């Protein structure tokens, strides 16, 4: 099946309580029969450190930090390798640059990382969000309490194609990729696949703030029209997926469709929670010409609300700005 992961990079930001994260990454690597590298990506000493240290002390401290990191990672990998063969790497510096460089130079097709624990880290420029915006391959942010197996996988799709044709086609292809990745995860985890689309006929804030007067009967007609349009598109995407899969695989998956009239920034997360999602697969970038452009901030706001793993997918042609 398309999208099968072959080369996985598991990123550790520190040496604390990482066994569960690595176990989850190894579980994913095993199910995909992929090569896996565990990278300890550490921040370099602060730039102002060399102002209060002698030059030789600054260099020596950097070298000591790298040596100790290498020793710790080498020791840990002995137990990890008993579960599955792992490679290791240590990178000191800007974690985003080091991770993206590894992805580009080693043909990595999936990055796995544990979610940030600090709310402030998640909110203000965390490595998680930077990777979801700028890493060129899919990024799988695992829950802070990883599960050994997923039971419910959600593919969150944006089926609104009322855009210039080029952008609409980018969105169509992104939806195809999200659906492929989600179905692959569901198959390998023996999980239920849920396909979710949330649409808003008229933006909620416009009616709430009194900017638009809506005739209820016309509104109901518009909602019915939108629902029919999106349902037809979702059916078409599932038909395409069925042609990509082996015979009877889609019949085995039995994807459950959820087309919800609501507010995407709220109801993608709410609906995912209601179906007990273990992982949500969604597009994080809609426009290939704008590096790191999040879909109207919907993806970013949704991720902050989710209490499960997230897999962020980039559109074809995405070029990292890093």
């Amino acid at each position: 099946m398309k999208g099968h992961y072959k080369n996985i990079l598991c990123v550790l930001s520190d040496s604390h309580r990482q066994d569960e994260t690595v176990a989850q990454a190894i579980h994913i690597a095993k199910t995909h029969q992929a090569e896996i590298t565990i990278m300890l990506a550490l921040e370099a000493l602060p730039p102002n450190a060399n102002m209060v240290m002698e030059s030789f002390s600054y260099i020596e401290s950097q070298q000591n930090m790298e040596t100790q990191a290498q020793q710790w990672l080498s020791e840990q990998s002995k137990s990890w390798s008993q579960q599955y063969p792992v490679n290791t790497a240590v990178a000191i510096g800007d974690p985003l640059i080091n991770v993206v460089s590894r992805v580009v130079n080693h043909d990595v097709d999936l990055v796995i990382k544990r979610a940030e624990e600090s709310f402030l880290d998640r909110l203000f420029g965390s490595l998680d969000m930077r990777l979801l915006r700028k890493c060129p391959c899919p990024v799988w942010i695992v829950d802070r309490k990883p599960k050994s197996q997923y039971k419910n996988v959600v593919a969150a799709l944006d089926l609104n194609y009322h855009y210039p044709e080029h952008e609409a086609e980018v969105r169509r292809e992104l939806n195809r990729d999200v659906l492929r990745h989600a179905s692959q995860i569901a198959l390998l985890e023996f999980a239920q696949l849920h396909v979710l689309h949330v649409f808003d006929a008229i933006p909620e804030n416009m009616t709430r703030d009194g900017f638009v007067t809506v005739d209820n009967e016309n509104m109901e007609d518009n909602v019915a029209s939108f629902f029919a349009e999106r349902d037809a598109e979702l059916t078409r995407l599932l038909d395409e997926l069925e042609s990509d899969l082996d015979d009877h695989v889609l019949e085995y998956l039995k994807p459950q469709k959820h087309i919800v009239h609501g507010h995407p920034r709220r109801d993608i997360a709410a609906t995912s929670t209601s179906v007990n999602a273990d992982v949500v697969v969604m597009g994080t970038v809609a426009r290939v010409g704008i590096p790191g452009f999040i879909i109207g901030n919907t993806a970013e706001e949704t991720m902050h609300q989710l209490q499960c793993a997230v897999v962020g997918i980039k559109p074809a042609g995405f070029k990292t700005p890093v």
Side-chain angles (χ1 to χ4, degrees):
M1 179 182 173
K2 294 179 181 178
H4 194 86
Y5 306 126
K6 295 181 175 64
N7 189 5
I8 294 174
L9 178 66
C10 175
V11 178
L12 309 182
S13 296
D14 56 53
S15 60
H16 303 296
R17 307 184 309 279
Q18 295 289 4
D19 283 340
E20 287 185 346
T21 305
V22 173
Q24 180 75 9
I26 287 176
H27 166 71
I28 295 167
K30 271 184 178 179
T31 57
H32 290 260
Q33 289 297 293
E35 181 178 345
I36 182 169
T37 298
I38 313 295
M39 171 189 273
L40 181 58
L42 301 176
E43 295 271 4
L45 290 175
N48 62 344
N50 60 0
M51 297 174 62
V52 296
M53 300 172 68
E54 297 289 347
S55 295
F56 69 86
S57 297
Y58 179 81
I59 294 171
E60 184 179 20
S61 296
Q62 287 276 81
Q63 291 173 338
N64 284 342
M65 181 168 64
E66 184 168 359
T67 298
Q68 291 175 16
Q70 291 277 12
Q71 290 174 346
W72 176 85
L73 191 58
S74 176
E75 189 64 30
Q76 293 295 312
S77 69
K78 293 177 183 177
S79 61
W80 295 335
S81 294
Q82 292 176 7
Q83 305 172 54
Y84 190 77
V86 301
N87 304 309
T88 60
V90 171
I92 310 291
D94 184 321
L96 177 67
I97 292 175
N98 287 331
V99 170
V100 172
S101 295
R102 181 88 188 187
V103 168
V104 172
N105 294 328
H106 292 79
D107 295 324
V108 171
D109 53 17
L110 177 68
V111 168
I112 298 174
K113 184 184 175 298
R114 186 177 69 187
E116 302 282 2
E117 295 190 25
S118 163
F119 174 75
L120 289 177
D121 281 343
R122 297 181 73 193
L123 194 60
F124 298 108
S126 71
L127 180 57
D128 294 359
M129 296 310 302
R130 293 164 72 202
L131 286 170
L132 286 162
R133 294 183 191 116
K134 298 178 180 180
C135 181
C137 73
V139 176
W140 191 323
I141 303 296
V142 300
D143 195 17
R144 293 183 295 282
K145 294 180 179 178
K147 299 181 179 180
S148 59
Q149 187 171 348
Y150 295 153
K151 295 180 181 178
N152 291 287
V153 178
V154 172
L157 307 181
D158 179 4
L159 302 175
N160 179 8
Y161 298 149
H162 296 276
Y163 292 91
E165 183 53 35
H166 171 69
E167 185 172 340
E169 184 52 40
V170 170
R171 288 170 181 264
R172 289 188 189 97
E173 187 57 37
L174 182 56
N175 282 328
R176 294 182 190 108
D177 285 342
V178 167
L179 199 50
R180 289 184 194 119
H181 283 272
S183 59
Q184 179 183 322
I185 294 168
L187 278 171
L188 293 173
E189 295 285 337
F190 302 101
Q192 175 64 57
L193 174 63
H194 301 265
V195 186
L196 168 63
H197 170 65
V198 178
F199 71 94
D200 196 357
I202 295 180
E204 182 182 62
N205 64 303
M206 294 180 68
T207 54
R208 183 186 63 229
D209 296 334
F211 294 134
V212 176
T213 301
V214 178
D215 178 88
N216 287 335
E217 186 173 341
N218 288 338
M219 181 66 173
E220 289 178 5
D221 289 342
N222 285 337
V223 168
S225 175
F226 273 116
F227 184 94
E229 174 189 85
R230 307 301 162 82
D231 185 53
E233 174 57 24
L234 183 50
T235 298
R236 191 181 68 79
L237 283 170
L238 289 172
D239 287 344
E240 287 184 0
L241 177 65
E242 184 172 23
S243 68
D244 282 347
L245 299 169
D246 293 335
D247 291 344
H248 308 300
V249 171
L250 192 67
E251 182 181 346
Y252 167 79
L253 276 175
K254 292 186 174 64
Q256 294 185 11
K257 297 195 295 184
H258 306 268
I259 302 178
V260 178
H261 175 221
H263 189 42
R265 298 190 188 189
R266 177 192 63 220
D267 290 318
I268 293 174
T271 307
S272 297
T273 299
S274 73
V275 300
N276 297 315
D278 297 301
V279 59
V280 174
V281 185
M282 63 191 306
T284 58
V285 180
R287 296 176 180 173
V288 295
I290 306 177
F293 183 86
I294 302 294
I295 306 173
N297 288 327
T298 297
E300 192 159 349
E301 289 189 28
T302 297
M303 288 172 187
H304 288 316
Q305 298 171 56
L306 291 170
Q307 298 299 315
C308 65
V310 176
V311 180
I313 308 295
K314 307 294 190 307
F318 174 81
K319 300 293 184 183
T320 177
V322 177

